[in-house]
Every structure is written in C-alpha cells, then in structure tokens.
Amino acid sequence: MCHERMISLCNFIDQKIDDGTFVPLVTAVNHFMRQTGKFLVLFVYFISAFLAFTSFFIIIPYEQLYKPIWFLIILGVFGLYFLFNIQYHYYKARTIPPVANPGEEGDVFCEKCNYWKSDRAHHCSVCEKCVLGMDHHCIWINQCVGSHNHRHFFLFVANLTLAAGTIIIAGYPSFYDHLFSDTSQTTYCTTILNNAPLQDIICDYDGFAKTSVVFCYLLSFILLIMVGGLTLWNVYLISIGCTYIDYLKLTGSKKKLSARRRLNKGLKSNWKNFLGLRRNRTFFKCVIMPTALPPVRYESLDNRPDVFDVV
C-alpha cells in the first residue's frame, strides 16, 4: 500500500515538472540565490576584514605577554601572506567565469540551453548555462565553481583553513584571558602593551576588545570545521580526478566506474593537472604565490587529447 502511494506521489511530481507547474517556483528560488549571493560576497569581505583587524591589532599585540617578539613577527608575516592569498583567490574565484562549453553536435543535448553539451559539462539553473568541469554552484562566490576558477576556489578555502587554524593555535591565550576576563589577571585593556598602536583607541569602546577576541576565536573555530571539511573533501575529489558533479554521476554501474577510471590519471598527475603544473610551471609559482593561469586542457598521459581532461 505504501509502495503504491509512493509511486503515485512520484508520478504526480513528475507530471507537475513536465507540465511546467514548478517553473515559477524554481525561477524564484534561482533569483533569490543570485541576489543572496551578492550580499554574501560583501559579508565575506566584512568577516575577513574583521578577522584581520582583530588578529593584527588585538591578538598579536596581546600575545607578546606569552610569546617572544621574533615569533610574533613570524606570525605577522604569515598572517599577511594568508590575508593576501585569501583575498586574491577569493576575488579570482568569484570574478573569473568558469568555461561555458556548448559542446558539439552528437554530444548530449541540453534542452534548457537548446544546444549540445560535452561530457564534462553540466547545466546550472542558477547561472542559466552549461558549465564545463562544474563542481557545484557556490552561493558564497555567487557563481559556479568549474573549469578555470576551480583552482582559485580550492586555494581560497585551503588558505582560509590554514589561517583559521593559525588563529586557533596562536591565539588561545588571548581567547582564554578574555573569555574569563572576570578572573584573569590581564586583558588587552588592563595591560600596557608595547607595539600596540591602536590600544588607546580600541579600549575607548567598553568591551570591544573582549568581544572581538572571543568572537574572532569562535568564528575561526567554526571556519576550521566547516571550511576545513570542504577543503578535505576537495582534496579527496582532486586526488581521484573528479569534480563533485562527476562523483555524483560516476557511481554505481560498471560503465560509470569505467568512466571514473578514465578521469583518474593517478594521484600525482591529477594534482599536477588541477594546479596547472604544466609547461614548466612550478609549485612555487602556481600554489605558493598568488598566480592566475589561463584555462588549458589537461595533457593526457599518452599525449592524446581527451575530452574528460579539462582544467
């Protein structure tokens, strides 16, 4: 009985989808996601600015009570490095459009675009186009993560994860003292600190330093868990040569597993292709330094073109 009702419900939903009943709802949801994405882009810039301000002008100066100056200088240098990389790769990820691939006659036909799409292309209803090498639509960058901007997206989340981890490890004394400020002997505003240029201004606002430190630390912890998890998931997908869309598509049948093996060139080649380490490009230039690369096709192991190999 339940099985028959489930089949009836599925048939009803399929009928409503086919006759266009849900089109206005889907259109409204996609419009809402596009508009929300614009707000979230500004929110990301605001949060990153807050974390940078709190780290450089409150936490690092306060940590001189617990750490030597040379170590704080190193923290400052790494902090500036992470900040620049995060901003650079986030800007690139949200402004560089992923390659829209119309495909060729004989490929799978996309009824929404009314054109052919290649094997690695997937239609995004929010962006309203077929995206080559699509991983997912990210509301935080307000566009799809796919060919050409996927590398920047990964480096953005990876640097953000490392920055959050650094704040958590290096800033724990500051967090502890300010969280338990009622029993702590020192806080940012009750201690005369050297090399704290904004201490007088910050401490003019009652409770601002305490709130900023505690919120910065807790936010960093949340980012480490959520963005760190996303980073590890991307590490796994890149290691097997897949995007998230590929992973969802290529599971189950022997035919799909064969396609999965075709995508997977091996751990080393997968990472070299994803990071663009071709044509004498070095790890330092492509990963350590913030560098933009033109979209190029993967070079398959046997030097023959492969439509599955796309950066």
Side-chain angles (χ1 to χ4, degrees), residues 30 112-113 122-131 134 136-137 143-144:
N30 290 337
K112 297 177 181 178
C113 291
H122 182 78
H123 184 86
C124 175
S125 58
V126 181
C127 296
E128 299 180 334
K129 62 182 178 181
C130 288
V131 176
M134 179 177 171
H136 68 287
H137 181 90
Q143 69 169 348
C144 282

Side-chain angles (χ1 to χ4, degrees), residues 34-260:
R34 286 192 294 268
Q35 298 306 314
T36 303
K38 295 178 182 179
F39 167 77
L40 291 179
V41 166
L42 297 177
F43 182 72
V44 169
Y45 282 121
F46 171 78
I47 288 298
S48 61
F50 169 78
L51 291 176
F53 177 85
T54 304
S55 298
F56 286 116
F57 294 105
I58 301 180
I59 294 179
I60 289 180
Y62 183 77
E63 285 295 321
Q64 67 185 277
L65 300 177
Y66 300 95
K67 299 176 177 65
I69 295 298
W70 65 265
F71 186 77
L72 296 180
I73 293 175
I74 293 176
L75 280 180
V77 172
F78 272 98
L80 289 173
Y81 172 79
F82 286 137
L83 178 62
F84 186 80
N85 274 273
I86 289 169
Q87 296 301 322
Y88 177 83
H89 288 297
Y90 180 71
Y91 174 79
K92 288 294 185 181
R94 73 173 187 83
T95 58
I96 295 179
V99 177
N101 187 293
E104 300 176 352
E105 186 174 357
D107 290 335
V108 177
F109 190 79
C110 178
E111 296 182 355
K112 297 177 181 178
C113 291
N114 197 31
Y115 206 80
W116 310 97
K117 63 178 180 181
S118 66
D119 293 331
R120 294 293 307 276
H122 182 78
H123 184 86
C124 175
S125 58
V126 181
C127 296
E128 299 180 334
K129 62 182 178 181
C130 288
V131 176
L132 192 62
M134 179 177 171
D135 185 81
H136 68 287
H137 181 90
C138 180
I139 197 171
W140 294 96
I141 65 173
N142 203 27
Q143 69 169 348
C144 282
V145 176
S147 56
H148 200 188
N149 72 343
H150 194 174
R151 169 181 162 273
H152 289 293
F153 177 81
F154 172 75
L155 291 177
F156 160 66
V157 296
N159 278 279
L160 185 57
T161 299
L162 293 174
T166 302
I167 292 175
I168 289 174
I169 295 173
Y172 178 76
S174 297
F175 170 70
Y176 183 87
D177 286 350
H178 289 83
L179 181 64
F180 302 103
S181 57
D182 294 338
T183 57
S184 177
Q185 296 180 353
T186 59
T187 62
Y188 181 81
C189 290
T190 61
T191 307
I192 298 177
L193 299 171
N194 297 322
N195 304 313
L198 299 182
Q199 186 178 23
D200 292 338
I201 298 175
I202 292 173
C203 293
D204 282 341
Y205 299 90
D206 187 37
F208 178 78
K210 174 184 176 179
T211 303
S212 296
V213 170
V214 173
F215 183 72
C216 175
Y217 194 89
L218 293 178
L219 179 59
S220 297
F221 183 78
I222 294 173
L223 289 174
L224 182 64
I225 298 300
M226 299 184 65
V227 181
L230 178 62
T231 302
L232 292 177
W233 175 241
N234 273 265
V235 167
Y236 169 71
L237 292 177
I238 295 167
S239 298
I240 63 175
C242 283
T243 65
Y244 181 54
I245 297 294
D246 293 331
Y247 182 83
L248 294 177
K249 288 181 177 180
L250 306 179
T251 54
S253 67
K254 293 182 178 179
K255 180 179 180 181
K256 291 180 178 179
L257 290 176
S258 176
R260 170 87 64 88

Side-chain angles (χ1 to χ4, degrees), residues 235-296:
V235 167
Y236 169 71
L237 292 177
I238 295 167
S239 298
I240 63 175
C242 283
T243 65
Y244 181 54
I245 297 294
D246 293 331
Y247 182 83
L248 294 177
K249 288 181 177 180
L250 306 179
T251 54
S253 67
K254 293 182 178 179
K255 180 179 180 181
K256 291 180 178 179
L257 290 176
S258 176
R260 170 87 64 88
R261 286 193 293 268
R262 186 183 176 193
L263 281 171
N264 192 348
K265 302 296 184 181
L267 180 65
K268 183 177 180 180
S269 290
N270 290 337
W271 278 97
K272 287 182 67 176
N273 288 329
F274 178 81
L275 296 174
L277 302 182
R278 298 291 185 179
R279 303 176 184 177
N280 297 321
R281 295 175 182 146
T282 62
F283 183 85
F284 179 82
K285 178 181 178 181
C286 294
V287 180
I288 303 300
M289 298 299 294
T291 306
L293 302 176
V296 294

